[in-house]
Amino acid sequence: MTANSPSAAAHASAHKLFSLGRAAAIAGNTLRDLVRQKVFYFMLVFALVLIGMSLVLAALSFQGQLQMVMNMSLGAMSVFTMLLAVLASAMMLPKDIEDRTLYTILAKPVSRFEYLLGKLAGVALMLLIATLLMTVFFCIVLWFWQGREIASIRGSVQSELVDAEVAKVMAGTFTPTLFGGIGVIFLRAVVCSALTLMVSSFATSWLFTVIISLMLILIGHIVPIARSAWMDPIQAGVDVPWYLSLFLRLITVFAPDMQLFNIVDDIAVGTHVASGIFGQVTALGCGYITIYVLVAYLFFAWREL
Amino acid sequence: MAGALKGRVIGVAVLLVWGILKLPIETELTAQLQHERLGKYKITASLRQQAGQAGFIAVLGGLRAPVADLLFIRAHIAWQQHVEYGRMKLYFDICTALQPRREMFWDMAAWHMAYNGAAYIEQTEKDKYIRDRQMKEYYKVGEDYLLRAVENCPDSWSLYDRLGSLYREKFHDPCKAAAAFARAAERPNRLDYTRRLAAIYLADCPGHEKEAYDKLLALYKESEKEWVPSLLEKIQILERKLGIPKEERVYIPEKHRLLPD
Amino acid sequence: MSTPAISIQNLTKEFIPPSVMRRGAITAVRDLSLKVEAGHVYGLLGPNGSGKSTTMKVVLGLVTPTSGKTFIFGKNSRDVESREAVGFLPENPYFYKFLTGEETVHFYGKLCGIRGKMLRDRTRELLALVGLEDAANRRVGGYSKGMLQRIGLAQALVQDPRLLVLDEPTAGVDPAGSREICDLILQFKARGLTVLLCSHLLSQVQEICDRIGIMHRGGLVREGPLDHLITIENQTEMVLENASPELLAELRAKIAAGGARLAGEGKPQQNLERYFLDVTSEAKKSDQ
C-alpha cells in the first residue's frame, strides 16, 4: 500500500500510448464473459439444425442430396455466425455503459481505442471458436453424407459411369474452396461485428444498434446492383433519375458489398474459386474491419459517459 | 462537445473516403467473381429483373443456396404427394433463378415438365385434342428450361445431352437432337457416346446425309470401340442412300450386316 | 507545497440536451476551481444535481470539459496517463456478473499492467483487505450490495494508486458494512492515500474528512478544513461523569458569576450507529 511498494514503482515507468496487454486483457475478459453467458449453446442449435435437416433429406429421395447438405450447412453457418456477431457486439457497449462497468475500466489507464479493439478481438475470438466447432460438426455430417452418396451411386448408376461419378463426389466434397469459403464466412462475421461496434459507438440502445446493423448488412447485399445501376445505367437498361442515382451512390459508398463475402453460394454449385480471389476478399475484409474500428474510435473518443 | 462533433465529422469523412476508395476494388472483384462463375459468357438481364431478384436476395441475405434447395425439395414433395405441376413449375422457376449455375435444378425441372408432366396429361386427359396440345406445351416448358440452362451453365455437357434426348424423344426432331449432342460433345468431360449420338441422329436429318456419313466414318475408323450396332446400321443405310459403290463401302462384321437391298 | 493530488481550474461543463428541438445547454458545473492536497481526505458535498458527479467524471477523463482544465498529480485528465495514479469506485458499481471476485480484481490488475505472481499476490492481499477472501471464487452476480462496494474498492486499489475517488461508497449498504467501509477509508488515510469522497451521509463525512467543499448549482459555495467550518468558536463543551447535583449547582453558580451563559445542558446520548452495531454484534455472538 505504500508509495514505494514494487507495483507502484512498476507503473511509475512511462505510460505506453497503446498497450497490447491492456487490449488483450479486455479481449480475454470479453471472451470469458461471452462463454459464461453460454453463447456456445447456440452451437447446439446449429447441430440440431444439421441433424434435423439430414433426417428430412434422408426421408426424401432424389439426387444431389450431398450438395444440399453442404448448401444448407454453409447457409446455417453463415446465418449463425452473422447473428452471433451482431448480437454479441451490439450488447457490449450499451451494457458496459448502463452497468457503469465502463467507468471503472476507463478510470484505469486504458485508452478508449484499447477498449474498443479489445472488445472486438474478444468477439472475434468467440466467433473463431464458434466457426471451428461448427466446421468440425459440419465435416462429420458431410463425411456421413458423402459415404451415403457414394453407396447410392454404386447401387444405381450404369457401371460405365460409376468410377467417374464416385471420383466426382470425392473431388467435390472436401475441397480447398470449401474451407476457404468457411474462412470467408468467419471473416464476414468479424466484418459484421466491427460494423455493429461502430454503430454502437454512437447509438444509445442495443436494440437500435441491432436494427441499424442488420439493416446495413441487408443493404450490403444489394450493393452490387445499386452500383451497376448508377455506374452503368445504359447496360442496366433503365433511366435513373438524379435523386435515385444519388441515393444509389450513397448506398454504394457507405454500405459494405456483402455479396463479395458470399463465396459460399458459388461453392454450392461447385465453382472453383481462385486463391487470388480469396486473398483479395480477405484484404478487403481486413480493410473494412480497420476502417470500422477507426471510425468507431472517432465516434467514441469524445463521447460523454 | 466540440470534440465530439469533430470526431463525428472526421468519422463520416473517413467512411466517405474509404467508400470511394473501395469502389473500384469492389467493382473489379465483382467482375472477377462473375468471370469465375460464368467464364467468358455473360448473362444479360435487365435491371428490372435484377431488382426483383435483388430484393429477394437481400431478404435472403447469405442464404441463396439453401433457400433454392428448400424450394427444390418443396417441388419434389409437390410432385411425390400431390402431382401439382403448376406449383412445381413455380418452385422450379424460383430455384433456377436463385441458383442458375446449379445444373441439377435445370435438369430436374426440365425432366419433370417434359417427361412426368406430359405423361401425367397423357394418362388423365381424355379429350385427344386437348391432350395433344397440353402435352406439347409441357414439352415446350421442358425445352425452355434446358435452353436457359445451357445459357447459364455453358460448360455442362450433360445439359446438352438432356436437350438432345428431349428433341429426339419428344419432339422427334433428329436435326435439333444432333445439333444438341454435337454441342454436348464439344464440352469438357463429356462421355464419348455424345459424339456418336450426334452423328447417328444427324443421319436422320434430311439434307445432312453426307455430313453424317463422314462423321460416322471418322468414328468408325477411329476405334473398334465405336462399332456399336446403331452406328454400323446407320453407316450401311447411308451408304445405300448416298449410293456409295460397294467396293468403297466399309467392312461390317457379319452379325451386324443388313439384309441386301 | 508539493503537487496537489487534484487540481481543478475554472472548470465549466455544459450538457447539450440530446433532443434537437430543445435549445440551450444545461450547465452542470460553472467556473469551479478546487485543489485537493496530497494526503488529505476531501469530502465533496451537495444536493443531487449540484454537479458533484460531473466534476468527478471530468477529473477522471470520462467527460470532456467545456472549458477549464483538471489535473491529477499534475497530469491533465485528458491524458490516459493521468489515470495511472487513480482508483475509482463509482456509485452503485456493477461488475461483469459472470466473473468471480478474484477474476474481477485480476482483470482490473491486468488493465493496469500488473501480471503474473505480483498480480496474484496483490489480488489475495486486496481481497483480504476488503474482507472478501471467502467469496473470492463466487461469481460477482451473486454478491450483495455491500460486497459489490467492497470488490469495487479492491479493484480501485489494485494498482496501488495514490488517489482514490469514491462516489457514494456507502450508499445502500447496511450499517455494519457501512462502518467497515468507513474504517477502511480511515486506514487508507493513515497510510497517506489521498481520497476524494462524495457522499450524502454527512455524519460519515464529518468523521472521515479533513476538508470539505459544498457544491450548489454547479459552483462551490463553501470550502475549507472541516474543523474550521463547523466549530462554534465562542462555545465550549464539557462532559462530566458521576457529577453530583451539588457539584452541578456549584458550577452553574460559578458560570453565572464569571459572566458566561450556560447555553445548554443535558444527558448525552449514545450514537445510534454505535448502539445498532453493538446490538447486532451481540446477537451474532449469541447465534454462534
Side-chain angles (χ1 to χ4, degrees):
Chain A
M1 294 307 296
T2 47
N4 55 9
S5 75
S7 61
H11 344 257
S13 61
H15 175 86
K16 273 191 283 180
L17 268 183
F18 175 79
S19 143
L20 211 57
R22 288 192 288 261
I26 290 172
N29 191 56
T30 306
L31 177 65
R32 175 146 47 180
D33 198 36
L34 287 167
V35 170
R36 297 208 180 150
Q37 285 193 55
K38 304 196 166 62
V39 281
F40 290 120
Y41 275 51
F42 222 60
M43 299 302 102
L44 277 182
V45 182
F46 175 77
L48 287 176
V49 167
L50 251 59
I51 291 168
M53 173 192 84
S54 288
L55 290 176
V56 169
L57 280 177
L60 302 165
S61 54
F62 47 79
Q63 45 165 306
Q65 285 182 326
L66 177 65
Q67 189 70 61
M68 288 195 178
V69 169
M70 218 192 272
N71 290 347
M72 290 190 194
S73 307
L74 289 171
M77 238 161 149
S78 289
V79 172
F80 275 60
T81 49
M82 263 200 284
L83 272 183
L84 259 181
V86 171
L87 293 177
S89 315
M91 296 293 285
M92 297 186 305
L93 239 90
K95 198 165 146 269
D96 274 7
I97 292 175
E98 206 172 300
D99 291 353
R100 274 157 293 176
T101 332
L102 189 56
Y103 291 171
T104 54
I105 293 172
L106 293 181
K108 296 287 177 204
V110 175
S111 74
R112 295 189 182 195
F113 184 70
E114 288 162 347
Y115 171 78
L116 288 176
L117 197 68
K119 284 283 173 187
L120 181 67
V123 175
L125 269 175
M126 181 274 286
L127 290 171
L128 182 66
I129 296 170
T131 309
L132 288 177
L133 283 176
M134 287 195 268
T135 306
V136 168
F137 194 76
F138 168 47
C139 284
I140 294 170
V141 171
L142 201 58
W143 177 77
F144 167 78
W145 275 97
Q146 188 188 35
R148 202 182 140 100
E149 182 95 347
I150 289 171
S152 96
I153 287 172
R154 290 198 197 286
S156 66
V157 180
Q158 306 152 258
S159 59
E160 186 189 351
L161 297 173
V162 164
D163 288 342
E165 289 287 313
V166 169
K168 211 166 126 190
V169 169
M170 295 295 277
T173 317
F174 295 101
T175 58
T177 310
L178 174 69
F179 293 104
I182 292 176
V184 174
I185 288 182
F186 166 68
L187 180 72
R188 172 172 60 183
V190 180
V191 170
C192 290
S193 176
L195 175 81
T196 311
L197 192 71
M198 181 182 76
V199 174
S200 77
S201 70
F202 63 85
T204 43
S205 80
W206 74 269
L207 191 63
F208 175 84
T209 309
V210 167
I211 292 169
I212 295 293
S213 305
L214 286 179
M215 264 174 59
L216 275 172
I217 290 167
L218 276 184
I219 288 173
H221 283 92
I222 58 160
V223 160
I225 288 142
R227 191 174 48 224
S228 66
W230 68 262
M231 283 181 112
D232 206 355
I234 295 154
Q235 208 233 315
V238 279
D239 211 10
V240 182
W242 69 268
Y243 51 87
L244 186 59
S245 170
L246 181 72
F247 177 68
L248 293 175
R249 275 160 212 247
L250 281 177
I251 285 183
T252 344
V253 167
F254 283 106
D257 185 343
M258 296 304 288
Q259 290 292 6
L260 288 177
F261 299 102
N262 253 350
I263 294 182
V264 284
D265 278 345
D266 294 311
I267 296 168
V269 289
T271 309
H272 170 75
V273 181
S275 57
I277 288 196
F278 278 118
Q280 289 181 59
V281 168
T282 307
L284 188 71
C286 293
Y288 270 115
I289 295 166
T290 312
I291 294 295
Y292 287 154
V293 171
L294 183 68
V295 174
Y297 172 69
L298 287 166
F299 285 162
F300 188 58
W302 289 275
R303 185 165 168 178
E304 314 276 7
L305 298 171
Chain B
M1 215 56 209
L5 196 64
K6 200 170 67 188
R8 283 181 191 190
V9 171
I10 300 174
V12 173
V14 168
L15 280 179
L16 187 71
V17 171
W18 164 251
I20 291 166
L21 286 179
K22 71 164 184 149
L23 203 56
I25 302 172
E26 286 184 345
T27 314
E28 164 62 22
L29 203 48
T30 306
Q32 272 190 50
L33 273 170
Q34 193 83 10
H35 182 80
E36 294 254 340
R37 275 170 201 151
L38 303 167
K40 56 186 185 292
Y41 302 84
K42 199 165 185 179
I43 303 172
T44 46
S46 76
L47 178 73
R48 192 172 295 279
Q49 272 177 320
Q50 265 194 5
Q53 201 176 317
F56 198 23
I57 290 170
V59 173
L60 304 178
L63 287 177
R64 216 173 72 209
V67 168
D69 283 347
L70 281 176
L71 287 167
F72 181 80
I73 292 172
R74 289 190 66 175
H76 186 83
I77 294 171
W79 174 62
Q80 276 192 325
Q81 298 181 344
H82 315 290
V83 202
E84 290 175 283
Y85 284 93
R87 185 187 292 271
M88 281 166 69
K89 181 174 183 306
L90 183 70
Y91 289 145
F92 284 134
D93 281 344
I94 305 172
C95 63
T96 51
L98 286 173
Q99 278 295 67
R101 291 276 290 154
R102 188 80 186 274
E103 288 176 28
M104 186 189 81
F105 288 169
W106 295 110
D107 184 10
M108 295 301 277
W111 179 66
H112 273 300
M113 290 299 145
Y115 291 78
N116 297 332
Y120 179 71
I121 295 297
E122 195 173 18
Q123 287 158 16
T124 52
E125 182 56 55
K126 297 214 169 58
D127 184 308
K128 185 179 181 312
Y129 174 73
I130 297 176
R131 187 169 66 221
D132 286 355
R133 205 189 58 197
Q134 284 197 345
M135 281 172 69
K136 282 209 179 86
E137 278 170 15
Y138 271 98
Y139 299 154
K140 191 82 190 71
V141 171
E143 184 198 7
D144 277 352
Y145 275 128
L146 287 173
L147 286 175
R148 276 190 285 148
V150 295
E151 191 188 331
N152 282 292
C153 308
D155 286 338
S156 166
W157 70 271
S158 61
L159 286 171
Y160 273 110
D161 173 291
R162 295 289 194 282
L163 187 63
S165 304
L166 181 70
Y167 282 138
R168 164 86 189 155
E169 290 158 20
K170 300 297 177 189
F171 288 84
H172 308 294
D173 183 339
C175 302
K176 280 185 170 177
F181 279 110
R183 300 293 295 274
E186 292 161 7
R187 309 289 127 187
N189 303 323
R190 52 105 181 94
L191 291 178
D192 284 343
Y193 75 81
T194 49
R195 292 186 306 169
R196 203 155 58 225
L197 290 184
I200 289 171
Y201 294 147
L202 195 63
D204 296 334
C205 182
H208 290 269
E209 290 83 359
K210 182 70 182 70
E211 192 189 332
Y213 182 68
D214 291 343
K215 281 190 169 186
L216 288 168
L217 215 54
L219 287 170
Y220 172 90
K221 286 176 181 164
E222 188 184 296
S223 141
E224 283 195 26
K225 257 171 55 191
E226 297 289 339
W227 293 16
V228 299
S230 56
L231 180 126
L232 297 174
E233 184 194 334
K234 281 290 179 231
I235 286 183
Q236 294 173 75
I237 293 172
L238 285 177
E239 279 170 342
R240 289 170 199 194
K241 233 187 216 175
L242 293 167
I244 309 273
K246 282 221 159 58
E247 55 281 11
E248 288 175 27
R249 295 184 186 179
V250 296
Y251 162 77
I252 303 287
E254 194 81 45
K255 62 174 176 174
H256 293 301
R257 274 185 211 157
L258 300 179
L259 295 171
D261 23 31
Chain C
M1 260 201 111
S2 59
T3 327
I6 297 177
S7 163
I8 300 171
Q9 297 170 3
N10 307 100
L11 172 68
T12 297
K13 176 66 199 172
E14 289 170 352
F15 286 106
I16 313 235
S19 145
V20 190
M21 301 300 285
R22 241 186 320 151
R23 289 179 169 273
I26 295 163
T27 309
V29 179
R30 182 173 293 143
D31 197 29
L32 177 78
S33 292
L34 183 79
K35 268 197 179 101
V36 177
E37 296 299 341
H40 279 194
V41 176
Y42 194 103
L44 199 56
L45 312 178
N48 290 335
S50 59
K52 296 176 310 226
S53 286
T54 305
T55 308
M56 276 191 174
K57 285 182 187 174
V58 174
V59 169
L60 292 163
L62 297 172
V63 163
T64 353
T66 308
S67 66
K69 284 175 178 165
T70 62
F71 297 90
I72 295 174
F73 293 109
K75 285 173 182 155
N76 195 317
S77 298
R78 271 204 328 240
D79 302 330
V80 175
E81 197 184 350
S82 70
R83 291 188 275 289
E84 293 276 5
V86 199
F88 174 53
L89 172 66
E91 184 178 358
N92 298 326
Y94 279 92
F95 299 97
Y96 292 108
K97 278 194 290 200
F98 298 99
L99 298 187
T100 65
E102 190 180 4
E103 286 165 346
T104 303
V105 179
H106 260 264
F107 169 56
Y108 286 95
K110 278 190 203 154
L111 291 184
C112 298
I114 311 172
R115 293 276 185 284
K117 186 174 182 304
M118 190 188 279
L119 179 58
R120 285 194 296 276
D121 293 347
R122 184 82 186 129
T123 306
R124 210 172 307 121
E125 184 190 335
L126 283 170
L127 288 171
L129 180 75
V130 298
L132 285 175
E133 301 121 302
D134 296 340
N137 293 318
R138 269 167 52 197
R139 292 207 179 169
V140 171
Y143 276 20
S144 71
K145 206 132 189 184
M147 290 164 92
L148 280 175
Q149 296 281 8
R150 281 189 275 164
I151 199 76
L153 262 181
Q155 68 75 24
L157 288 164
V158 72
Q159 86 274 36
D160 200 3
R162 288 187 285 160
L163 169 68
L164 264 186
V165 178
L166 309 175
D167 195 357
E168 301 286 358
T170 56
V173 181
D174 68 32
S178 178
R179 182 69 253 159
E180 280 169 24
I181 289 170
C182 280
D183 290 343
L184 277 173
I185 297 172
L186 288 169
Q187 272 187 52
F188 303 150
K189 180 180 172 182
R191 295 182 190 188
L193 245 84
T194 314
V195 179
L196 174 66
L197 174 76
C198 267
S199 181
H200 287 300
L201 295 174
L202 301 179
S203 64
Q204 281 179 1
V205 172
Q206 191 175 352
E207 182 187 345
I208 303 170
C209 294
D210 308 312
R211 207 177 163 91
I212 59 159
I214 299 178
M215 288 188 75
H216 184 65
R217 297 198 178 194
L220 204 58
V221 288
R222 287 284 187 284
E223 207 266 338
L226 183 65
D227 296 346
H228 288 204
L229 294 181
I230 59 175
T231 308
I232 305 167
E233 289 297 337
N234 63 346
Q235 291 190 356
T236 307
E237 209 173 38
M238 206 188 274
V239 180
L240 305 175
E241 211 170 54
N242 301 329
S244 63
E246 295 78 26
L247 178 62
L248 288 176
E250 200 176 317
L251 279 175
R252 282 190 203 103
K254 280 248 163 106
I255 289 164
R261 189 177 70 87
L262 183 65
E265 185 186 348
K267 299 233 180 266
Q269 286 177 340
Q270 198 182 356
N271 175 319
L272 179 59
E273 187 193 349
R274 196 68 267 155
Y275 178 70
F276 176 86
L277 290 176
D278 289 346
V279 171
T280 49
S281 65
E282 254 170 51
K284 217 180 267 172
K285 262 181 223 152
S286 65
D287 282 349
Q288 292 161 3

Coordinates of all heavy atoms in Angstrom, one line a residue, chain A residues 96 99-110 115 305, chain C residues 60 62 83 86-96 104 107-108 111-112 148 151-153 155-156 158-159:
Chain A
D96 N -22.1 -2.1 -20.9 CA -21.0 -1.6 -20.1 C -21.3 -0.2 -19.6 O -21.0 0.2 -18.5 CB -19.7 -1.6 -20.8 CG -18.9 -2.9 -20.7 OD1 -19.6 -3.8 -20.2 OD2 -17.8 -3.0 -21.2
D99 N -24.3 -0.5 -17.0 CA -23.9 -1.0 -15.7 C -22.8 -0.2 -15.1 O -22.3 -0.6 -14.0 CB -23.4 -2.5 -15.9 CG -24.5 -3.4 -16.3 OD1 -25.6 -3.0 -16.2 OD2 -24.2 -4.6 -16.6
R100 N -22.3 0.8 -15.8 CA -21.2 1.7 -15.3 C -19.9 0.9 -15.1 O -19.0 1.3 -14.5 CB -21.6 2.3 -14.0 CG -22.3 3.6 -14.2 CD -23.2 4.0 -13.0 NE -24.2 3.1 -12.9 CZ -25.1 3.1 -11.9 NH1 -25.0 4.0 -11.0 NH2 -26.1 2.2 -11.8
T101 N -19.9 -0.3 -15.7 CA -18.6 -1.0 -15.7 C -17.6 -0.2 -16.5 O -16.4 -0.3 -16.2 CB -18.8 -2.4 -16.4 OG1 -20.1 -2.8 -16.2 CG2 -17.9 -3.4 -15.8
L102 N -18.1 0.4 -17.5 CA -17.2 1.2 -18.4 C -16.4 2.3 -17.6 O -15.3 2.5 -17.8 CB -18.0 1.9 -19.5 CG -17.2 2.5 -20.6 CD1 -16.3 1.6 -21.2 CD2 -18.2 3.1 -21.7
Y103 N -17.1 2.9 -16.6 CA -16.5 3.9 -15.8 C -15.2 3.3 -15.1 O -14.2 3.9 -15.1 CB -17.4 4.4 -14.6 CG -18.6 5.2 -15.1 CD1 -19.6 5.6 -14.2 CD2 -18.7 5.7 -16.4 CE1 -20.6 6.3 -14.6 CE2 -19.7 6.4 -16.8 CZ -20.7 6.8 -15.9 OH -21.8 7.5 -16.2
T104 N -15.4 2.1 -14.5 CA -14.3 1.6 -13.8 C -13.2 1.2 -14.7 O -12.0 1.3 -14.4 CB -14.8 0.3 -13.0 OG1 -15.4 -0.6 -13.9 CG2 -15.7 0.7 -11.9
I105 N -13.5 0.8 -16.0 CA -12.5 0.4 -16.9 C -11.7 1.6 -17.4 O -10.5 1.7 -17.4 CB -13.1 -0.4 -18.1 CG1 -13.6 -1.8 -17.6 CG2 -12.0 -0.6 -19.2 CD1 -14.3 -2.5 -18.6
L106 N -12.5 2.6 -17.8 CA -11.8 3.8 -18.4 C -11.2 4.7 -17.3 O -10.4 5.5 -17.6 CB -12.8 4.6 -19.2 CG -13.3 3.9 -20.5 CD1 -14.2 4.8 -21.3 CD2 -12.1 3.5 -21.4
A107 N -11.5 4.4 -16.0 CA -10.9 5.2 -14.9 C -9.5 4.6 -14.7 O -8.7 5.1 -13.9 CB -11.7 5.2 -13.7
K108 N -9.3 3.4 -15.3 CA -7.9 2.8 -15.2 C -7.1 3.4 -16.4 O -7.8 4.0 -17.3 CB -8.0 1.3 -15.4 CG -8.7 0.6 -14.2 CD -7.9 0.6 -13.0 CE -8.6 0.0 -11.8 NZ -8.0 0.5 -10.5
P109 N -5.8 3.2 -16.4 CA -5.1 3.8 -17.5 C -5.3 3.1 -18.8 O -4.4 2.5 -19.4 CB -3.6 3.7 -17.1 CG -3.6 2.7 -16.0 CD -4.9 2.7 -15.4
V110 N -6.6 3.1 -19.3 CA -6.9 2.3 -20.5 C -7.5 3.4 -21.5 O -8.4 4.1 -21.2 CB -8.0 1.3 -20.2 CG1 -8.5 0.6 -21.5 CG2 -7.5 0.3 -19.2
Y115 N -9.9 -0.1 -25.5 CA -11.1 -0.7 -25.0 C -11.9 -1.3 -26.2 O -12.3 -2.5 -26.2 CB -11.9 0.3 -24.3 CG -13.3 -0.1 -24.0 CD1 -13.6 -1.0 -22.9 CD2 -14.4 0.3 -24.8 CE1 -14.9 -1.4 -22.6 CE2 -15.7 -0.2 -24.5 CZ -15.9 -1.0 -23.4 OH -17.2 -1.4 -23.1
L305 N -19.8 10.1 -21.1 CA -20.3 8.9 -20.5 C -21.1 9.2 -19.2 O -21.0 10.2 -18.6 CB -19.1 8.0 -20.2 CG -18.3 7.6 -21.4 CD1 -17.1 6.9 -21.0 CD2 -19.2 6.6 -22.3
Chain C
L60 N -11.8 12.4 -13.9 CA -11.3 11.0 -14.3 C -11.3 10.9 -15.9 O -11.0 9.8 -16.4 CB -12.3 10.0 -13.8 CG -12.3 9.8 -12.3 CD1 -13.5 9.1 -11.8 CD2 -11.0 9.0 -11.9
L62 N -13.7 11.0 -18.0 CA -14.9 10.3 -18.6 C -15.7 11.3 -19.4 O -16.5 10.9 -20.2 CB -15.7 9.6 -17.5 CG -15.0 8.5 -16.7 CD1 -15.8 8.0 -15.5 CD2 -14.7 7.3 -17.6
R83 N -4.4 8.6 -15.3 CA -5.2 7.6 -14.5 C -4.3 6.5 -14.0 O -4.8 5.6 -13.3 CB -6.3 7.1 -15.4 CG -7.3 8.2 -15.7 CD -8.6 7.7 -16.3 NE -8.5 7.7 -17.8 CZ -8.5 8.7 -18.6 NH1 -8.5 9.9 -18.1 NH2 -8.4 8.6 -19.9
V86 N -4.8 6.8 -10.1 CA -6.2 6.9 -9.5 C -6.9 5.6 -9.4 O -6.8 4.7 -10.3 CB -7.1 7.8 -10.4 CG1 -8.3 8.3 -9.6 CG2 -6.4 8.9 -11.1
G87 N -7.6 5.4 -8.3 CA -8.5 4.3 -8.2 C -9.9 4.9 -8.1 O -10.1 5.9 -7.4
F88 N -10.9 4.4 -8.8 CA -12.2 5.0 -8.8 C -13.3 3.9 -8.5 O -13.3 2.8 -9.0 CB -12.5 5.6 -10.2 CG -13.9 6.1 -10.4 CD1 -14.4 7.0 -9.4 CD2 -14.7 5.7 -11.4 CE1 -15.7 7.5 -9.6 CE2 -16.0 6.2 -11.6 CZ -16.5 7.1 -10.7
L89 N -14.1 4.3 -7.6 CA -15.3 3.5 -7.2 C -16.5 4.3 -7.6 O -16.9 5.2 -6.9 CB -15.3 3.1 -5.7 CG -16.5 2.4 -5.2 CD1 -16.7 1.0 -5.8 CD2 -16.5 2.3 -3.7
P90 N -17.3 3.9 -8.6 CA -18.5 4.7 -9.0 C -19.6 4.3 -8.0 O -19.6 3.4 -7.2 CB -18.8 4.2 -10.4 CG -18.2 2.9 -10.5 CD -17.0 2.8 -9.6
E91 N -20.6 5.2 -8.1 CA -21.8 4.9 -7.3 C -22.5 3.7 -7.8 O -22.6 3.4 -9.0 CB -22.8 6.2 -7.5 CG -24.0 6.1 -6.6 CD -24.9 7.3 -6.8 OE1 -24.5 8.2 -7.6 OE2 -25.9 7.4 -6.2
N92 N -23.0 2.8 -6.9 CA -23.6 1.6 -7.2 C -22.9 0.8 -8.3 O -23.4 0.6 -9.4 CB -25.1 1.8 -7.7 CG -25.9 2.4 -6.6 OD1 -25.7 2.1 -5.4 ND2 -26.8 3.2 -7.0
P93 N -21.7 0.4 -8.1 CA -21.0 -0.2 -9.2 C -21.5 -1.6 -9.5 O -22.0 -2.3 -8.6 CB -19.5 -0.4 -8.6 CG -19.7 -0.5 -7.2 CD -20.9 0.3 -6.8
Y94 N -21.4 -2.0 -10.8 CA -21.7 -3.3 -11.2 C -20.5 -3.8 -11.9 O -19.9 -3.0 -12.6 CB -22.9 -3.4 -12.2 CG -24.2 -3.3 -11.5 CD1 -24.8 -2.1 -11.3 CD2 -24.9 -4.5 -11.1 CE1 -26.1 -2.0 -10.7 CE2 -26.1 -4.4 -10.5 CZ -26.7 -3.2 -10.3 OH -27.9 -3.1 -9.6
F95 N -20.2 -5.1 -11.8 CA -19.1 -5.6 -12.5 C -19.6 -6.7 -13.4 O -20.8 -7.0 -13.4 CB -18.0 -6.1 -11.5 CG -17.5 -4.9 -10.7 CD1 -18.0 -4.7 -9.4 CD2 -16.6 -4.0 -11.2 CE1 -17.5 -3.6 -8.7 CE2 -16.1 -2.9 -10.5 CZ -16.6 -2.7 -9.2
Y96 N -18.6 -7.3 -14.2 CA -19.1 -8.4 -15.0 C -19.6 -9.6 -14.1 O -18.9 -10.2 -13.4 CB -18.0 -8.9 -15.9 CG -17.6 -7.8 -16.9 CD1 -16.5 -7.1 -16.9 CD2 -18.5 -7.6 -18.0 CE1 -16.2 -6.1 -17.8 CE2 -18.2 -6.6 -18.9 CZ -17.0 -5.9 -18.8 OH -16.8 -4.9 -19.7
T104 N -12.4 -10.7 -11.1 CA -12.6 -9.2 -11.3 C -11.4 -8.4 -10.9 O -11.0 -7.6 -11.7 CB -13.8 -8.8 -10.4 OG1 -14.9 -9.6 -10.8 CG2 -14.2 -7.4 -10.6
F107 N -8.7 -8.9 -13.5 CA -9.0 -8.2 -14.8 C -8.5 -6.7 -14.6 O -7.8 -6.2 -15.5 CB -10.5 -8.3 -15.1 CG -10.9 -7.4 -16.2 CD1 -10.3 -7.4 -17.4 CD2 -11.9 -6.4 -16.0 CE1 -10.7 -6.6 -18.5 CE2 -12.3 -5.6 -17.0 CZ -11.7 -5.7 -18.2
Y108 N -8.9 -6.1 -13.5 CA -8.5 -4.7 -13.4 C -7.0 -4.5 -13.2 O -6.4 -3.5 -13.6 CB -9.3 -4.0 -12.3 CG -10.8 -3.8 -12.7 CD1 -11.8 -4.7 -12.4 CD2 -11.1 -2.7 -13.4 CE1 -13.1 -4.5 -12.8 CE2 -12.4 -2.5 -13.9 CZ -13.4 -3.4 -13.5 OH -14.7 -3.2 -13.9
L111 N -5.4 -4.6 -16.5 CA -5.6 -3.3 -17.2 C -4.5 -2.3 -16.7 O -4.2 -1.4 -17.5 CB -7.0 -2.7 -16.9 CG -8.2 -3.5 -17.5 CD1 -9.4 -2.7 -17.2 CD2 -8.0 -3.6 -19.0
C112 N -4.1 -2.5 -15.5 CA -3.0 -1.6 -15.0 C -1.6 -2.1 -15.3 O -0.7 -1.6 -14.8 CB -3.2 -1.4 -13.5 SG -4.8 -0.6 -13.1
L148 N -20.4 -5.8 -3.3 CA -20.1 -5.1 -4.5 C -19.3 -3.9 -4.3 O -18.3 -3.6 -5.0 CB -21.4 -4.7 -5.3 CG -22.1 -5.9 -6.1 CD1 -23.4 -5.3 -6.7 CD2 -21.1 -6.3 -7.2
I151 N -15.8 -5.1 -3.4 CA -15.0 -5.6 -4.5 C -14.6 -4.4 -5.4 O -13.5 -4.3 -6.0 CB -15.7 -6.7 -5.4 CG1 -14.7 -7.5 -6.2 CG2 -16.8 -6.1 -6.3 CD1 -13.9 -8.5 -5.4
G152 N -15.5 -3.4 -5.4 CA -15.3 -2.1 -6.1 C -14.1 -1.4 -5.5 O -13.2 -0.9 -6.2
L153 N -14.0 -1.4 -4.2 CA -12.8 -0.8 -3.5 C -11.6 -1.6 -3.9 O -10.5 -1.0 -4.2 CB -13.0 -0.9 -2.0 CG -13.6 0.4 -1.3 CD1 -13.7 0.2 0.2 CD2 -12.6 1.6 -1.6
Q155 N -10.9 -3.3 -6.6 CA -10.4 -3.0 -7.9 C -9.9 -1.6 -8.0 O -8.9 -1.4 -8.8 CB -11.5 -3.3 -9.0 CG -12.7 -2.4 -9.0 CD -12.5 -1.0 -9.6 OE1 -11.6 -0.8 -10.4 NE2 -13.3 -0.1 -9.2
A156 N -10.4 -0.7 -7.3 CA -9.9 0.7 -7.3 C -8.5 0.7 -6.8 O -7.7 1.5 -7.2 CB -10.8 1.6 -6.5
V158 N -6.2 -1.7 -7.0 CA -5.4 -2.7 -7.5 C -4.0 -2.3 -7.9 O -3.0 -3.0 -7.7 CB -6.1 -3.5 -8.6 CG1 -6.2 -2.7 -9.9 CG2 -5.4 -4.8 -8.9
Q159 N -3.9 -1.1 -8.5 CA -2.5 -0.7 -8.9 C -1.8 0.1 -7.9 O -0.9 0.8 -8.2 CB -2.6 0.0 -10.3 CG -2.9 1.5 -10.3 CD -4.3 1.8 -10.3 OE1 -5.1 1.1 -9.7 NE2 -4.7 2.9 -11.0

